[in-house]
Amino acid sequence: MSSPKHPSILGHDIPKARLTLSGWAWAGLYLGLPVILLGNLIDFIFQWTLGWCIGIWCIV
């Protein structure tokens, strides 16, 4: 006898937990935003102190 794909609780099939669209958005906000801000700060410091333009605004 094989086990069911999803467990059954009180007659209801309960699927595995999954990350929703809002979960992906919050993860992107909490993980992506600090990386972007710190990267831009480092680029700005290099440009200001050394005169090297290595940020995204050099392309624009």
Side-chain angles (χ1 to χ4, degrees), residues 1-6:
M1 187 171 219
S2 64
S3 63
K5 187 174 182 180
H6 302 294

Side-chain angles (χ1 to χ4, degrees), residues 33-52:
L33 190 61
V35 170
I36 290 171
L37 290 176
L38 287 175
N40 283 333
L41 179 65
I42 291 169
D43 290 342
F44 176 74
I45 290 171
F46 267 92
Q47 184 177 357
W48 189 50
T49 59
L50 302 175
W52 299 347

Side-chain angles (χ1 to χ4, degrees), residues 5-9 12-16:
K5 187 174 182 180
H6 302 294
S8 179
I9 299 175
H12 296 281
D13 290 333
I14 307 297
K16 286 176 60 175

